Amino acid sequence: MKKTFDRAVFLDRDGTIIEEVGYLDRPERVELFPWSVDAIRVLNRAGLAVVLVSNQSGIARGFFTHDVVDRTHARMEEMLSQGGAHIDAYYYCPHHPDGVVPELARVCGCRKPARGLVDRAVEEFRVDPARSFVVGDRWLDVALATTIGGRGILVRTGYGETQEHRRPDGLQADAVVDNLMAASSWILGRL
Ligand SMILES: [Mg+2]
Ligand SMILES: [Zn+2]
């Protein structure tokens, strides 16, 4: 029997769980923020599905392969598990309209802020998007939250610090907080 959850926390990867390093093309470059293990473990214990949702257009652009991304996620999972935390699913979009890899160079339904990756989690875990949360360091992560009818939290790590002052018209975060640990606390306070 597959595990199901009432709701999920959709976590952006780069700049939110791990240091933003531009295009992460080698798994060895993964560096978790010091609070990421604790922040994710807290969400695990609260009974939320923790789902990574990441735009990885570097694959369509030919900078790296699916294999690099999969090994990066395996390495992250290993680092998290040492602290008793885990991510229930690692979803990413490999597409980009300006890509050079023919089968990936297109508009798709899974590049955030499109909701394709969230819909995958709905199918896999039966989560209710409207009762779920999205955490990320860019406004497109908040836009995803708006699209699914959930709540969006902007973190000030990664691009977040500069993004905070460049809010697109009509888009509002439910919370702007310093980092993923603060985001987890905010979420726990609203369950
Ligand atoms: Mg990011
Ligand atoms: Zn896609």
Side-chain angles (χ1 to χ4, degrees), residues 12-18 20 53-55 112 135-138 140-141 155 157-160:
D12 170 54
R13 192 188 82 179
D14 303 342
T16 301
I17 305 172
I18 64 175
E20 168 64 59
V53 291
S54 181
N55 285 348
K112 297 181 294 183
V135 183
D137 68 326
R138 293 180 118 145
L140 61 83
D141 298 299
V155 288
T157 50
Y159 290 111

Side-chain angles (χ1 to χ4, degrees), residues 105-175:
R106 60 178 175 86
V107 174
C108 66
C110 55
R111 181 172 168 78
K112 297 181 294 183
R115 60 178 298 151
L117 300 178
V118 167
D119 289 337
R120 241 174 103 179
V122 170
E123 210 164 292
E124 188 167 351
F125 299 111
R126 303 284 153 208
V127 294
D128 179 359
R131 298 177 66 220
S132 295
F133 305 86
V134 182
V135 183
D137 68 326
R138 293 180 118 145
W139 287 108
L140 61 83
D141 298 299
V142 175
L144 173 61
T146 303
T147 300
I148 66 170
R151 280 180 278 186
I153 301 136
L154 185 77
V155 288
R156 295 192 182 96
T157 50
Y159 290 111
E161 207 177 343
T162 49
Q163 290 271 294
E164 183 179 3
H165 308 291
R166 296 176 190 168
R167 184 170 63 83
D169 283 342
L171 195 58
Q172 195 80 54
D174 291 282

